[in-house]
Amino acid sequence: KKILEEKVKERTIEIEKQRDQIAKQNKEITDSILYAKRIQSAILPEESVINSCLRDYFILYKPRDIVSGDFYWITKKGDLVYVVCADCTGHGVPGALMSMLGVSLLNEIVKNSQNLLKSSDILNKLREQVKITLAQKGRDDEAKDGMDMVLAIIDFEKLTLQFSGAYNQLWVFRDSEVYIYKGDKMPIGIYPGTERPFSNIEIDLKKNDILYMFTDGYVDQFGGPEGKKIKTSGLKDIIMKIGNQPLEEQRNYLENFLEQWKGENPQVDDILVMGIKVI
């Protein structure tokens, strides 16, 4: 009996040591990811920068994990404001690494260019740089990492907009209607189909138009009474309902609706929804 008790005691001590070791490793991993969040937050545009580019806007940004594969990028060059709403492959740490690559390449392409590039030119250059950086050659065994993205170039004085999209859409709310402009069905990155240049869509704006950009996290969230996705049609119904409200109220409504819809379900993806008013 005494021998058995000693063995049980030894085993208990061993289990406790393993538990403490796992807890220590988990803490180190979490601390490392939290530090990565600080770095990722630093590369997103500061509020002062956004306010110098946009007069009235909202950003609903909810990473699924500590760090996010969704990112937004906003800058101004001359009279033009560049706005990107992007969704990188994956979420968590892999998505965050891709998002940092996306921001770095956008800075290089737009800020360092001597000429004013069209929105389609920027996406074409970005795609090429992503493929070069990730050494994507189109082999079957390589990762198909990339980004889905909306890029809008806005001239608030001339009331014009250029739009290019990699899968994602741009919506314009005007006179209680939602006008939908669809992006090309190609990602920023390697693509198994026939690669072609991105389209460049030019849109004439009116005062009080509201531009909406979003990644798929919001519309793909499961919940509601039947455990289904919100879907793009569901988001459109929401915008039709709240489109005439002040943008801060719209953001609050979208967030509250999401939380009620989600209920006890886990958040399935990173979430990013942006609204910009033309004033």
Side-chain angles (χ1 to χ4, degrees), residues 199-218:
S199 304
N200 197 85
I201 299 172
E202 297 186 4
I203 303 168
D204 291 324
L205 300 174
K206 291 184 177 180
K207 292 287 187 182
N208 298 316
D209 283 351
I210 303 177
L211 315 175
Y212 295 96
M213 311 173 195
F214 54 92
T215 59
D216 59 7
Y218 195 97

Side-chain angles (χ1 to χ4, degrees), residues 242-256:
I242 67 173
N244 288 310
Q245 296 178 13
L247 291 195
E248 186 59 28
E249 291 181 20
Q250 292 191 34
R251 186 202 176 282
N252 293 338
Y253 185 96
L254 284 163
E255 185 168 28
N256 292 334

Side-chain angles (χ1 to χ4, degrees), residues 87-91 94-95 98 101 127 130-148 166-167 186-193 195:
D87 179 1
C88 299
T89 306
H91 35 71
M98 284 294 296
L101 172 64
R127 175 172 60 188
V130 165
K131 286 161 59 180
I132 291 170
T133 306
L134 299 180
Q136 294 178 332
K137 308 289 186 184
R139 299 188 307 270
D140 291 337
D141 61 337
E142 69 185 14
K144 303 297 189 291
D145 297 308
M147 309 167 198
D148 298 342
Y167 281 119
M186 303 181 294
I188 304 294
I190 201 71
Y191 175 59
E195 188 177 288

Side-chain angles (χ1 to χ4, degrees), residues 18-72:
Q18 290 176 345
R19 181 200 63 199
D20 292 344
Q21 187 177 3
I22 291 170
K24 182 184 176 187
Q25 289 174 339
N26 285 341
K27 184 179 185 304
E28 288 173 350
I29 292 169
T30 301
D31 288 348
S32 180
I33 297 173
L34 285 169
Y35 193 82
K37 181 184 181 182
R38 286 175 56 190
I39 296 171
Q40 185 178 42
S41 297
I43 69 164
L44 293 173
E46 294 181 4
E47 190 173 349
S48 59
V49 172
I50 303 174
N51 289 337
S52 70
C53 297
L54 305 175
R55 297 162 191 168
D56 193 9
Y57 67 92
F58 75 78
I59 299 173
L60 176 60
Y61 180 60
K62 297 176 75 70
R64 196 199 80 165
D65 304 308
I66 297 172
V67 288
S68 176
D70 286 5
F71 73 90
Y72 52 96

Side-chain angles (χ1 to χ4, degrees), residues 97-111:
L97 288 170
M98 284 294 296
S99 76
M100 294 182 73
L101 172 64
V103 169
S104 175
L105 292 176
L106 282 165
N107 282 330
E108 184 180 320
I109 291 166
V110 175
K111 292 185 178 179

